[in-house]
């Protein structure tokens, strides 16, 4: 009976301790800086255009092939009378969040620090009723960074 | 023997009942299916079915370069992803002859042992539920697992699929308060182990349920190719960390825990004691941790390996997790085969279960501590 | 025949009808409260919060559950035996419900204080085993069948120690009337004279109720719900209702018989509200203990369960009856009973230790099964 009593005492001691439950939808735990949700494209606030030049590096490196990238000539390049130093710029970009496995490789291969992993709760709470809604286009990918809502952590 | 009942014309026609367990069953730990032939309550035969979670991870790895494969290794062993990554990256390093910096190796050791802790917590919690403590052990275990996962999230950004080890070292440096945080986690883990220990180990009902159940002899265990705690519970002192050292395991002190009877109780005790050893290893690693580089200075951007083959095994929480890799000189493996500990351990299921009660079949399955993603890959 | 109820003279049948209705309504509320409390309390034992979503502190959780269950489709498997399947829940629920007739909520607060009240209660409550067997058999499901058979075996086995321990107490009071037994403990509750009896009653009670550590019939991790498995909606909620109503009855009866009910320590002269409160506290303590047990102990196996009932509890219960008889017939001091009870607890402890220390495993069965498999 000694062991039974020990079990009772253990549960009794946890009965008196504080519950560890995080009441999720009301209180969101603060996410660490390095938290990885889904990849986002970043916005260059200085010249008001995406960092991304559409170089296809991430598309080639993606293990699950969830990205589609198309580039174009940058209309805002200095040679065209603009202010940007980017000769080429991203035209169309799709990421299928349904396929992405959040491995961070796209961030590592990017030469321009133009893509980063969303480290806010908005990246985690992205459930949709339709699988096709998980395919993000360029506007959706850029919107959060453009609004200044995210500051992804990119490994030095 | 002249009883009327035993005379042929009065002989009872008895028939075994077939009870199907899984793939949707509370205690098959994933999508495992077994069909039990039951005579009353006694199991007469077991027929396991695997493959519900087969995703072809090995084949996928052959279509990817070495870095891309790491993410798939995470998913073959989702409860101890660091250990799975470790086998993979070390196989590639051995193939390519890359020297890993010291600091990276120490950090790898710490993270792998922490992952072993979290994996064993998962075992203890689920095992308690199998024995029937209504989830109390489960919540105790998950409480501590969350603490460990919080640390992992701070370091590598993800809670289960880390994708943090790289060929040659680590993806990036750990956080500044790493050492202090690990100490915090260890203190919490100790409390968790004590709680689970107090809840289960000495409990008479628990002992009556687990002692002498699912016995397997050392010789049979070796014949089936079992490894890890399931093998050590039979008394075979085999631990790859000690017998075929990798990383800096020769430089830390730890005991290899062995059982004597090879029953369910011994497998439980082995895992419980191993957790204390893991804590011991981590504490020694933290003392030896020095600042330094985490990737080799000269690493080519696109890794190519010389032709050849390599088999590298490490001691994952469930046993020997080996990666067999053949390269034909390209930037991707020509063949990548994962030697899964769970699959080998699971083969002994029939030997261990037949002759016990239905309730014990659940216990035996739980005590092998299978992860179906590792069995099916 | 007339009877007085709340100061009004009325026909006996009408009085009984009114009282039954009050009890049934109270039971529904109490069962809902019990389900909520169990979830909350077990949550705290597991360092969780329990239900928090519905209403403040999740107070409306039981009501939400009940509404959901009522709204669910009433399913019956194709292969099920329709009549037995439909009737089984009544065989589980009605016996429990009928038991409320003699439950003494306070002195004078029962529907009928039958002279053979204890016998009546035990006789009715043991019928529900039949309901489990019917549910398990008729469901056309192997888990349900295993669970149903387990429930019957267990119910039959634990009926005997339960009855014998309670009869041992009844010997002390010299009555089977629950009110008499309660009033007899005005000065000292029976637990002092029968400590072993109380422990055995508590164990047998848990087994009768199919609660942990004796919940092998339901056994979520093995038979995935046992006899309940094919029931849904309102039928399934009847199982729950019966389980918790039974828990309530047993806790009140246990506190009436062993803890002095509403008679001890305030005596019978204090007003009914105090008596109700006292009974409430005592029965809540027993229910809390049952929940604590559920959160702490693993489940037994069927053979261990049966062995424990027949080899340990039965002999001890009969010895208790014998000793009680000697003490009463020869007018020995009652303190002897306490001493005997404490010795009995030591013996119980020894029996449990022995069961664990024995090299477990049944090579006999294993060898038999292996030979059968090869032949």
């Amino acid at each position: 009976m000694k062991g039974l009593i020990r079990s009772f005492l253990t549960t009794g001691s946890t009965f008196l301790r504080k519950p560890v439950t995080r009441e999720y939808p009301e209180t969101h735990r603060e996410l660490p800086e390095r938290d990885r949700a889904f990849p986002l494209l970043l916005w260059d606030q200085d010249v008001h255009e995406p960092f991304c030049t559409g170089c296809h590096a991430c598309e080639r490196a993606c293990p699950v092939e969830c990205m589609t990238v198309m580039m174009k000539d940058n209309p805002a390049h200095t040679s065209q009378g603009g202010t940007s130093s980017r000769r080429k710029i991203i035209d169309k970009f799709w990421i299928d969040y349904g396929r992405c496995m959040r491995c961070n490789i796209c961030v590592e291969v990017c030469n321009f620090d133009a893509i980063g992993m969303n480290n806010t709760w908005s990246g985690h709470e992205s459930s949709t009723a339709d699988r096709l809604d998980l395919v993000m286009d360029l506007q959706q990918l850029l919107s959060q960074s453009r609004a200044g809502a995210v500051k992804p952590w990119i490994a030095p | 023997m002249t009883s009327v009942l035993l005379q042929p014309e009065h002989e009872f026609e008895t028939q075994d009942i077939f009870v199907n367990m899984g793939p949707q069953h509370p205690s098959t730990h994933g999508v495992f299916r077994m069909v039990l032939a039951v005579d009353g309550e006694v199991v007469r035969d077991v027929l396991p079915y695997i493959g519900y979670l087969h995703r072809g991870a090995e084949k996928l790895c052959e279509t990817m370069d070495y870095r891309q494969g790491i993410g798939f290794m995470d998913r073959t062993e989702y409860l101890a992803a660091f250990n799975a990554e470790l086998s993979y990256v070390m196989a590639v390093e051995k193939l390519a002859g890359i020297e890993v910096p010291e600091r990276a190796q120490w950090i790898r050791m710490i993270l792998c042992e922490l992952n072993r802790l979290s994996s064993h917590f998962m075992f203890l919690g689920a095992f308690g539920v199998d024995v029937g403590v209504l989830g109390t052990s489960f919540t105790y275990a998950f409480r501590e697992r969350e603490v460990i996962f919080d640390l992992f999230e701070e370091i590598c950004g993800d809670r289960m699929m880390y994708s943090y080890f790289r060929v040659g070292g680590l993806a990036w440096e750990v956080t500044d308060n790493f050492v202090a945080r690990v100490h915090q986690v260890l203190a919490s883990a100790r409390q968790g182990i004590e709680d689970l220990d107090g809840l289960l180990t000495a409990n008479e009902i628990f002992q009556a349920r687990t002692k002498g159940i699912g016995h397997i002899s050392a010789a049979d265990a070796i014949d089936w190719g079992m490894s890890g705690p399931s093998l050590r519970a039979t008394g075979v002192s085999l631990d790859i960390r000690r017998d075929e050292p990798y990383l800096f395991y020769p430089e830390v002190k730890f005991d290899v825990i062995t059982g004597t009877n090879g029953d369910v109780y011994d497998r439980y005790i082995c895992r419980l004691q191993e957790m204390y050893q893991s804590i011991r290893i981590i504490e020694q690693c933290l003392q030896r941790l020095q600042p330094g580089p985490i990737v080799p200075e000269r690493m080519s951007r696109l890794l190519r390996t010389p032709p050849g083959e390599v088999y590298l095994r490490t001691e994952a929480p469930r046993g020997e997790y080996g990666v067999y890799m053949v390269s034909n000189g390209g930037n991707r493996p020509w063949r990548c085969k994962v030697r899964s500990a769970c699959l080998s351990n699971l083969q002994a299921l029939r030997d261990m279960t037949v002759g016990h009660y239905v309730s014990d079949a659940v216990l035996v399955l739980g005590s092998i501590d299978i992860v179906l993603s590792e069995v099916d890959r | 025949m007339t009877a007085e109820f709340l100061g009004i003279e009325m026909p006996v049948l009408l009085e009984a009808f009114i009282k039954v209705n009050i009890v049934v309504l109270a039971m529904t509320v109490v069962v809902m409260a019990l389900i909520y409390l169990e979830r909350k309390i077990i949550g705290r034992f597991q360092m969780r919060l329990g239900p928090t979503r519905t209403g403040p502190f999740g107070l409306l959780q039981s009501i939400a559950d009940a509404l959901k269950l009522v709204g669910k489709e009433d399913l019956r498997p194709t292969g099920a035996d329709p009549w037995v399947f439909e009737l089984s829940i009544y065989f589980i629920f009605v016996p429990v419900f009928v038991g409320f007739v003699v439950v003494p909520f306070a002195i004078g607060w029962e529907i009928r204080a039958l002279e053979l009240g204890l016998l009546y209660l035990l006789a009715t409550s043991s019928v529900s085993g039949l309901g489990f067997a019917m549910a398990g058999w008729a469901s056309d499901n192997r888990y349900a069948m295993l669970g149903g058979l387990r429930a019957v075996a267990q119910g039959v086995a634990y009926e005997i120690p339960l009855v014998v321990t309670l009869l041992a107490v009844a010997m002390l009071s010299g009555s089977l009337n629950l009110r008499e037994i309660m009033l007899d403990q005005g000065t000292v509750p029976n637990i002092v004279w029968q400590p072993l009896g109380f422990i055995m009653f508590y164990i047998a009670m848990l087994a009768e109720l199919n609660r942990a550590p004796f919940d092998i019939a339901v056994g979520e991790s093995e038979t995935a719900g046992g006899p309940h498995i094919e029931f849904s909606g309102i039928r399934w909620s009847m199982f729950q209702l019966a389980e918790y109503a039974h828990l309530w009855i047993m806790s009140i009866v246990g506190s009436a018989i062993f803890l002095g009910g509403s008679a001890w320590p305030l005596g019978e002269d204090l007003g009914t509200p105090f008596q109700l409160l006292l009974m409430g506290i005592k029965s809540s303590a027993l229910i809390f203990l049952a929940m604590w047990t559920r959160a702490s102990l693993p489940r037994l196996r069927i053979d261990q369960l049966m062995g424990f009932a027949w080899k340990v509890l039965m002999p001890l219960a009969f010895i208790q009856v014998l000793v009680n008889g000697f003490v009463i017939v020869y007018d020995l001091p009652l303190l002897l009973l306490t001493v005997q009870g404490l010795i009995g607890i030591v013996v119980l402890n020894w029996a449990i230790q022995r069961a664990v220390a024995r090299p477990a495993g049944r090579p006999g069965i294993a060898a038999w099964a292996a030979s059968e498999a090869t032949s």
Side-chain angles (χ1 to χ4, degrees):
Chain A
M1 245 185 283
K2 221 166 60 188
L4 298 181
I5 292 168
R6 197 174 158 205
S7 292
F8 276 103
L9 289 180
T10 311
T11 42
S13 84
T14 46
F15 184 74
L16 299 174
R17 273 184 243 161
K18 203 166 165 284
V20 290
T21 310
R22 295 165 181 156
E23 287 210 68
Y24 162 61
E26 280 90 41
T27 54
H28 283 70
R29 183 174 60 95
E30 198 181 326
L31 289 175
E33 190 191 14
R34 300 180 179 188
D35 180 76
R36 299 206 303 263
F38 288 104
L40 283 176
L41 292 184
L42 304 185
W43 185 258
D44 192 345
Q45 301 285 5
D46 298 334
V47 277
H48 297 287
E49 62 180 25
F51 281 112
C52 182
T53 57
C55 69
H56 293 263
C58 50
E59 190 187 15
R60 277 199 302 273
C62 181
V64 288
E65 295 167 2
C66 68
M67 295 177 172
T68 312
V69 185
M70 290 166 91
M71 67 159 69
K72 64 177 179 192
D73 290 327
N74 190 357
H77 188 244
T78 38
S79 62
Q80 310 286 327
T83 55
S84 170
S85 59
R86 293 182 184 85
R87 194 176 296 278
K88 299 278 186 186
I89 198 147
I90 185 71
D91 180 25
K92 289 177 181 147
F93 203 120
W94 291 276
I95 301 182
D96 185 353
Y97 280 4
R99 288 192 74 139
C100 172
M101 66 177 200
R102 306 181 301 160
C103 60
N104 204 45
I105 288 179
C106 50
V107 183
E108 274 165 52
V109 296
C110 185
N111 296 319
F112 308 99
D113 286 353
I115 192 166
M117 301 302 257
N118 193 341
N119 55 1
T120 61
W121 276 103
S122 64
H124 289 283
E125 294 164 339
S126 54
S127 61
T128 57
D130 187 357
R131 195 175 282 196
L132 283 177
D133 293 344
L134 288 172
V135 183
M136 299 287 165
D137 63 15
L138 186 63
Q139 289 311 314
Q140 286 164 311
L141 289 171
L142 279 169
S143 60
Q144 288 197 50
S145 173
R146 193 172 185 173
V150 236
K151 277 223 167 13
W153 182 82
I154 293 169
Chain B
M1 299 300 263
T2 53
S3 166
V4 180
L5 290 175
L6 290 182
Q7 285 166 9
E9 61 266 30
H10 293 289
E11 205 172 306
F12 290 116
E13 281 275 319
T14 60
Q15 201 182 352
D16 288 348
I17 310 171
F18 293 98
V19 178
N20 180 50
M21 279 198 175
Q24 310 287 331
H25 188 272
S27 55
T28 48
H29 298 261
V31 282
F32 178 64
R33 176 180 171 213
M34 57 180 175
V35 177
L36 305 174
V38 180
D39 179 1
E41 283 264 346
V42 181
V43 177
R44 293 273 298 275
D45 204 352
V46 185
L47 197 57
Y49 290 87
I50 58 169
Y52 290 96
L53 205 57
H54 177 69
R55 293 144 303 170
E58 295 167 352
K59 207 70 194 164
L60 276 171
C61 281
E62 290 163 23
T63 65
M64 326 230 147
D65 70 31
Y66 291 110
R67 178 164 60 182
Q68 290 173 338
I70 294 169
F72 287 94
M73 284 299 129
D74 282 335
R75 284 153 180 83
T76 60
E77 232 291 35
Y78 52 76
L79 288 183
F82 272 134
N83 289 280
E85 281 179 27
L86 182 73
S87 285
Y88 180 82
V89 294
M90 277 173 55
V92 182
E93 281 155 12
K94 196 170 167 188
L95 203 55
I98 297 171
E99 280 289 314
V100 184
E102 263 196 31
R103 180 176 166 83
Q105 297 208 32
W106 285 114
I107 291 175
R108 278 181 182 183
M109 261 173 88
I110 292 169
L111 293 178
C112 283
E113 291 302 322
L114 277 173
N115 216 178
R116 189 187 309 278
L117 273 180
S118 82
S119 166
H120 281 356
F121 267 127
M122 179 72 206
F123 163 77
L124 293 179
F127 189 62
V129 174
D130 287 344
V131 191
V133 264
L134 192 90
T136 310
S137 62
F138 209 66
T139 42
Y140 286 1
F142 264 64
R143 188 182 85 208
E144 301 313 326
R145 235 167 77 96
E146 283 299 300
V147 175
I148 298 175
F149 281 177
D150 279 352
L151 173 70
F152 286 162
E153 194 183 13
E154 278 168 35
I155 296 167
C156 32
D158 212 324
R159 299 171 75 79
M160 281 180 93
M161 309 301 170
Y162 313 111
S163 155
Y164 179 59
F165 292 170
R166 291 287 183 272
V167 178
L170 305 172
W172 50 80
E173 183 57 81
V174 291
T175 46
D176 295 336
N177 58 354
F178 177 66
V179 176
R181 282 286 287 128
V182 175
H183 277 300
Q184 246 176 6
V185 168
L186 289 187
S188 154
R190 258 182 221 282
Q191 177 68 49
I193 302 171
E194 269 161 29
D195 282 347
L196 283 162
D197 188 24
L199 181 72
L200 295 176
T201 312
N203 192 313
E204 274 89 359
I205 297 177
F206 178 79
Q207 293 194 0
R209 280 298 304 278
T210 51
K211 276 188 178 167
I213 305 300
H215 168 83
I216 189 162
S217 68
D220 283 347
I222 293 172
D223 284 352
W224 281 119
M226 288 171 80
S227 55
S230 304
L231 175 67
R232 288 195 286 274
T234 64
V236 181
S237 174
L238 176 82
D239 190 327
I240 300 166
R241 288 176 293 175
R242 181 198 62 192
D243 300 331
E244 200 176 279
Y246 53 97
L247 297 181
F248 286 122
Y249 278 110
E251 296 185 23
V252 292
K253 286 196 187 69
F254 65 98
D255 298 331
V256 176
I257 310 290
T258 53
T260 45
N261 299 318
D263 56 8
V264 171
Y265 182 74
D266 277 18
R267 272 170 242 150
Y268 162 81
I269 287 292
C270 273
R271 294 206 167 88
L272 190 76
Q273 296 296 328
E274 247 178 42
M275 293 170 79
Y276 285 113
Q277 298 302 323
S278 285
I279 292 182
R280 208 173 137 195
I281 294 174
I282 295 168
E283 278 169 350
Q284 294 175 51
C285 291
L286 286 177
Q287 284 169 6
R288 301 283 299 274
L289 195 62
Q290 300 293 335
I294 50 160
V295 280
E297 282 167 22
R298 291 166 50 81
M299 272 286 284
S300 60
R301 260 188 95 106
L302 189 60
L303 184 73
R304 285 180 188 279
T305 49
E309 61 179 336
V310 64
Y311 176 70
L312 195 130
R313 52 184 188 167
T314 58
E315 183 75 21
R318 283 165 198 76
E320 177 185 330
Y321 190 99
V323 172
Y324 172 70
M325 206 178 271
V326 182
S327 160
N328 59 358
N331 63 347
R332 56 189 62 179
W334 181 78
R335 174 81 175 99
C336 175
K337 161 91 178 77
V338 173
R339 189 271 185 207
S340 138
C342 288
L343 181 61
S344 312
N345 293 351
L346 193 57
Q347 292 181 66
L349 180 70
R350 187 178 176 280
D351 276 17
M352 292 193 273
T353 313
V354 170
H356 291 297
Y357 287 87
V358 178
S359 317
D360 297 333
V362 168
L363 272 190
V364 171
L365 182 66
S367 74
I368 306 172
D369 191 16
I370 48 169
V371 173
L372 260 297
S373 71
E374 194 193 336
V375 175
D376 297 338
R377 300 189 296 281
Chain C
M1 275 204 298
T2 53
E4 197 188 301
F5 180 59
L6 297 176
I8 307 164
E9 287 284 319
M10 58 180 82
V12 174
L13 276 178
L14 182 64
E15 180 240 20
F17 182 74
I18 293 172
K19 278 184 172 175
V20 165
N21 270 305
I22 292 173
V23 169
V24 170
L25 287 178
M27 180 192 69
T28 332
V29 176
V30 168
V31 165
M32 281 193 177
L34 277 181
I35 293 177
Y36 167 75
L37 282 175
E38 168 142 50
R39 294 178 65 177
K40 268 293 192 198
I41 288 173
I42 288 189
R44 282 306 298 263
F45 276 122
Q46 301 175 348
M47 297 180 75
R48 296 184 286 116
L49 288 174
T52 54
R53 296 289 107 190
T54 39
F57 306 106
L59 274 169
L60 302 176
Q61 185 65 46
S62 291
I63 295 167
D65 286 347
L67 280 177
K68 185 207 77 172
L69 285 171
V70 171
K72 265 175 107 168
E73 189 186 352
D74 186 20
L75 289 171
R76 192 177 67 216
T78 326
D81 185 327
W83 279 99
V84 183
F85 187 81
E86 306 272 324
L87 280 178
S88 60
I89 46 166
Y90 298 104
F91 275 79
I92 290 167
F93 177 66
V94 172
V96 174
F97 169 63
V98 167
F100 272 106
V101 170
V102 291
V103 171
F105 297 102
I107 295 162
W109 272 57
E110 59 270 275
I111 296 174
R112 287 288 181 271
L114 299 181
E115 275 308 312
L116 293 174
L118 191 55
L119 188 67
Y120 169 83
L121 186 75
L122 295 168
T124 52
S125 72
S126 57
V127 176
S128 57
L130 179 64
F132 278 109
M134 287 165 70
W137 183 259
S139 294
D140 188 32
N141 181 311
R142 273 120 198 226
Y143 294 132
M145 198 176 73
L146 274 180
L149 295 179
R150 285 172 175 190
V152 177
Q154 176 186 351
V156 171
Y158 279 85
E159 199 66 40
I160 298 163
L162 184 71
V163 171
V164 176
T165 20
L166 290 181
L167 287 186
V169 183
M171 284 168 78
L172 286 182
S173 307
S175 169
L176 283 173
N177 188 337
L178 283 169
R179 187 195 285 179
E180 304 273 315
I181 296 176
M182 200 155 82
L183 290 178
D184 195 47
Q185 315 171 47
T187 45
V188 184
N190 275 332
I191 187 173
V192 177
W193 310 127
Q194 305 273 297
L196 175 65
F198 177 69
I199 291 180
M200 286 198 296
F201 163 78
Y202 181 67
I203 293 172
M205 174 188 112
L206 290 179
E208 271 291 290
L209 293 170
N210 283 328
R211 283 181 69 86
F214 303 102
D215 59 342
I216 54 160
V218 178
E220 281 93 0
S221 66
E222 297 149 19
T223 52
H228 305 171
I229 196 166
E230 293 291 1
F231 289 83
S232 71
I234 191 85
R235 287 174 201 285
W236 186 81
S237 70
M238 288 291 153
F239 276 104
Q240 291 292 99
L241 198 60
E243 187 189 332
Y244 284 91
H246 206 172
L247 175 66
W248 194 35
I249 291 184
M250 286 306 236
S251 67
I252 288 182
V253 170
S255 48
I257 290 179
F258 283 100
L259 304 177
S262 39
W264 180 83
L266 295 176
E268 53 193 284
D269 305 329
L270 227 64
T272 308
F274 277 104
Q275 291 177 359
L276 280 177
L277 184 70
L278 203 56
M279 183 57 107
I281 292 172
K282 284 175 183 172
S283 55
S284 309
L286 276 185
I287 292 174
F288 181 76
L289 200 57
M291 290 173 181
W292 194 352
T293 315
R294 192 173 181 199
S296 308
L297 297 189
R299 188 180 301 128
L300 282 161
R301 200 172 52 216
I302 179 81
D303 61 321
Q304 294 163 344
L305 188 97
M306 304 299 278
F308 189 62
W310 294 104
K311 294 180 194 160
V312 180
L313 288 185
M314 270 261 285
L316 283 173
F318 277 117
I319 288 170
Q320 184 74 58
V321 170
L322 271 181
V323 175
N324 280 12
F326 271 107
V327 168
I328 291 165
V329 170
Y330 294 105
D331 250 344
L332 302 174
L334 282 173
L335 204 61
L336 208 62
L337 284 178
T338 313
V339 175
Q340 175 266 335
L342 294 177
I343 293 172
I345 292 175
V346 175
V347 173
L348 189 66
N349 184 24
W350 171 79
I352 294 175
Q353 293 298 341
R354 186 173 160 274
V356 176
R358 187 173 28 179
R362 296 161 308 288
I365 289 181
W368 163 77
S371 72
E372 289 279 300
T374 49
S375 67

